[in-house]
Amino acid sequence: MVAIVRILGRRIVLLVPLMLGIILFVFVVMRFSDSDPASAYFQGANPTEQQLHDFRERNGLLDPFPVRYFDFVGDLVRGDMGVSALTRAPVVDQVTTALPLTMQLTFLGLGIAVVLSLLGGVTAAIYRDRFPDQLIRVVSLTGVAAPGFWLALLMIQYLAVDLGWFPTSGYVNPADSFTGWLKTMTLPALALSLPVAAQLTRIVRTAVVEELDKDYVRTAIGSGLPPVVVVGRNVLRNALMNPLTVLGLRVGYLLGGAVVIETIFNLPGMGKLMIDAVKNGDPAVVQGGVLTIAFGFVVVNLVIDILYLLVNPRLRSAEA
């Protein structure tokens, strides 16, 4: 436990320059964009040049670049992402309203992807080169090639419009109706998770096949242990190292893909918030949304690193 805390402390310290680099990248990109906070603030009001100048001076937009960057970092540390030029509301309030739905969609999709990939990968490995393995490989290859937005459109057409099993769009708060929430989130979560599940299935299959060919598996089965026990207790634990690493990277896909999926299903999450901000020329909201997604990706990968340490004792001893 002490080793895990020590390693975790080192990882958190290393995250500080990483996050500062992410903030710098987003800050520079936004400065080179055509979006002007002053013009957005006075949108439709025909401001004079003096009014625009006064706004930029009052909000530090005329300060040197390093000063503006460190002021921005200081504001972020205090939880201040700026103010929306259109709604005059704090960006952090809009983000905290939209983020829970995106997290619900992301983790529901993640759960579906993990369950499907474990079932498919382990089954394909146990029945390798036989019909179940060949069928799962064909399905997983198809899933890898199918983009999430295309799957979303197909599901809307056949499962929502033709069969009427699910609503085509909208969102129901789980506090109001869990059944309604599940109906509105099932299609978006499936569209988001199936490509990831297909990729992970192939990786799980390869990892499990490699473990099944090792001597300790044959010895355990030969000594009379049931194959189900050997696979569940030993093979899976050792085979999950590579899939866990890939899973951390795939979470970034899920977070980014959620932006597109939310737009298709008209869900009021981070995707809709940022796309509306881009269309309406609201740079503070775009900047806050991008940083939130980026920070979420970093935090999730930290959690995956912790799980990797828990699963792999040899890595703990090596890093300690």
Side-chain angles (χ1 to χ4, degrees):
M1 187 63 185
V2 175
I4 293 179
V5 173
R6 189 184 302 117
I7 296 169
L8 181 58
R10 287 206 298 262
R11 298 285 173 90
I12 293 175
V13 170
L14 291 174
L15 286 183
V16 174
L18 174 62
M19 289 187 173
L20 288 175
I22 291 172
I23 295 171
L24 178 61
F25 176 78
V26 174
F27 190 78
V28 170
V29 169
M30 293 303 299
R31 298 291 79 76
F32 281 104
S33 71
D34 293 332
S35 299
D36 180 16
S39 301
Y41 183 84
F42 291 105
Q43 194 172 39
N46 296 321
T48 64
E49 286 299 324
Q50 184 61 42
Q51 287 176 312
L52 292 173
H53 181 274
D54 291 343
F55 177 87
R56 296 186 181 111
E57 185 175 27
R58 187 168 59 251
N59 290 275
L61 299 177
L62 301 179
D63 294 338
F65 181 85
V67 174
R68 294 166 60 191
Y69 171 69
F70 285 109
D71 286 344
F72 181 63
V73 172
D75 291 339
L76 286 178
V77 171
R78 293 191 297 271
D80 182 6
M81 292 183 175
V83 177
S84 169
L86 299 178
T87 65
R88 310 296 195 266
V91 174
V92 68
D93 290 347
Q94 299 183 56
V95 168
T96 52
T97 299
L99 183 61
L101 188 147
T102 299
M103 299 307 293
Q104 291 170 28
L105 178 58
T106 299
F107 284 106
L108 184 58
L110 180 63
I112 293 173
V114 168
V115 171
L116 291 179
S117 62
L118 285 177
L119 290 175
V122 173
T123 302
I126 293 175
Y127 293 95
R128 59 177 147 174
D129 298 329
R130 285 179 278 177
F131 176 73
D133 179 27
Q134 294 169 351
L135 177 62
I136 290 172
R137 276 192 284 181
V138 170
V139 172
S140 62
L141 281 173
T142 304
V144 170
F149 70 88
W150 180 74
L151 290 174
L153 295 175
L154 286 182
M155 290 178 183
I156 290 174
Q157 178 62 46
Y158 292 109
L159 298 180
V161 176
D162 293 348
L163 298 177
W165 290 352
F166 301 96
T168 57
S169 63
Y171 174 71
V172 175
N173 194 306
D176 298 331
S177 171
F178 180 78
T179 303
W181 173 82
L182 197 59
K183 284 184 177 180
T184 56
M185 296 294 284
T186 297
L187 290 187
L190 283 174
L192 185 64
S193 65
L194 289 181
V196 176
Q199 295 171 0
L200 286 176
T201 296
R202 294 164 57 82
I203 296 170
V204 170
R205 178 198 178 277
T206 302
V208 174
V209 165
E210 291 176 357
E211 287 297 317
L212 289 174
D213 286 339
K214 292 184 177 178
D215 292 336
Y216 79 89
V217 176
R218 288 191 291 268
T219 302
I221 294 177
S223 64
L225 284 175
V228 174
V229 174
V230 177
V231 172
R233 183 184 298 173
N234 302 107
V235 172
L236 271 182
R237 182 181 179 88
N238 295 327
L240 287 180
M241 307 301 175
N242 289 338
L244 268 179
T245 303
V246 176
L247 182 63
L249 300 176
R250 293 297 90 195
V251 170
Y253 168 85
L254 289 171
L255 283 170
V259 172
V260 178
I261 298 300
E262 286 173 2
T263 304
I264 294 174
F265 287 94
N266 194 29
L267 298 174
M270 292 295 296
K272 188 174 187 301
L273 177 68
M274 288 192 291
I275 289 176
D276 288 346
V278 170
K279 290 192 297 185
N280 297 325
D282 198 343
V285 175
V286 176
Q287 187 171 252
V290 171
L291 284 174
T292 301
I293 296 295
F295 289 164
F297 177 66
V298 170
V299 171
V300 169
N301 273 273
L302 176 62
V303 174
I304 296 295
D305 285 344
I306 296 172
L307 292 176
Y308 199 79
L309 291 172
L310 292 174
V311 172
N312 192 350
R314 289 174 297 180
L315 186 61
R316 293 202 297 268
S317 60
E319 294 200 19

